[in-house]
Amino acid sequence: MPSAINSGDNAWMLVSSALVLMMTGPGLALFYGGLVRKKNVLATMMQSFALMAVVTVLWALFLFSLCFGPGNSVIGGFSHLFLQGVGAAPDPDYAATIPLQTFMVYQLMFAIITPALIAGAFAERMKFSAMAVFLSLWSIFVYSPMAHMVWGIGGLLNASGGYIPSLDFAGGTVVHVTSGVSALVTCIYLGKRNGYPHTNMPPHSMVLSFIGACLLWVGWFGFNAGSAL
């Protein structure tokens, strides 16, 4: 029998998608924006905002297909290029009671916040254009294969049938390990901040960071509870 859509499940997943998007903007934007110097507040916040737009376009074009389209054990194929075949019908392999389109939107929010997390590692130290190119390429060559290997059907690290089964309920590997390791590598590559440690670099506003942290905390209800699908 074809899978039946549950309106309650679908409604919750749409709410969860909104909560996870809130983690990037305004949550992460305010959190990082408050930690930098006053002259760099807007530029730092715009990094999170811009990634919301750039990753959304890339996701619709080909990133979703690379993450969740049928492929090999490392990367997905191009069957969902331009979101082809991603409509109101559910995909029982991923979420049997919600439209595949809802699943796509929810996973997009993870794809947005993951590179945005890395931006905090080079705050005040990278040109905006360089950031946009770097994190766009990172989403293609790091996030996509990792998401497919861990969450994609037939992926190398997938908990259900992968060659090396791994448990990743809500992005522990796909989101946090990849962004954390990449942030560390980026810091090492860029080297010490100009003026550090002789120049005082106090945070601009701990109030903004506090508000951002609270929004991240609230958004985590969509991050974790929504991952139950």
Side-chain angles (χ1 to χ4, degrees):
M1 291 180 61
S3 301
I5 293 176
N6 183 299
S7 59
D9 291 351
N10 192 44
W12 169 244
M13 290 308 301
L14 292 174
V15 171
S16 296
S17 299
L19 287 170
V20 179
L21 182 62
M22 185 184 70
M23 294 178 73
T24 305
L28 203 62
L30 288 171
F31 182 69
Y32 285 161
L35 291 175
V36 298
R37 288 171 288 180
K38 184 176 181 178
K39 65 179 182 177
N40 294 315
V41 174
L42 184 60
T44 300
M45 295 180 71
M46 280 301 296
Q47 290 179 351
S48 295
F49 183 80
L51 286 170
M52 291 167 63
V54 172
V55 175
T56 296
V57 173
L58 295 177
W59 190 253
L61 293 177
F62 55 82
L63 284 185
F64 177 74
S65 189
L66 293 179
C67 291
F68 295 100
N72 55 42
S73 61
V74 176
I75 193 71
F78 295 109
S79 59
H80 293 313
L81 206 63
F82 302 104
L83 298 184
Q84 180 180 357
V86 181
D91 185 336
D93 288 334
Y94 290 108
T97 61
I98 64 173
L100 181 59
Q101 198 169 56
T102 300
F103 175 80
M104 177 274 296
V105 170
Y106 181 68
Q107 290 295 336
L108 165 62
M109 305 312 163
F110 283 76
I112 287 172
I113 195 171
T114 308
L117 288 170
I118 302 173
F122 53 76
E124 304 183 299
R125 293 197 290 166
M126 187 179 291
K127 292 173 61 177
F128 190 87
S129 57
M131 176 280 304
V133 172
F134 166 54
L135 291 181
S136 295
L137 293 174
W138 185 91
S139 296
I140 298 170
F141 294 107
V142 178
Y143 184 85
S144 294
M146 184 59 71
H148 181 76
M149 284 191 287
V150 175
W151 290 332
I153 300 301
L156 180 69
L157 306 176
N158 190 272
S160 302
Y163 293 109
I164 310 173
S166 62
L167 296 177
D168 183 333
F169 176 68
T173 302
V174 178
V175 177
H176 300 295
V177 171
T178 57
S179 63
V181 172
S182 299
L184 176 61
V185 171
T186 305
C187 283
I188 294 173
Y189 177 79
L190 291 177
K192 290 185 178 181
R193 187 183 299 267
N194 289 336
Y196 179 84
H198 307 292
T199 303
N200 187 29
M201 301 179 186
H204 163 64
S205 173
M206 293 308 296
V207 173
L208 290 182
S209 292
F210 175 79
I211 295 172
C214 289
L215 290 171
L216 285 166
W217 199 346
V218 172
W220 236 290
F221 285 98
F223 202 96
N224 289 338
S227 291
L229 291 170

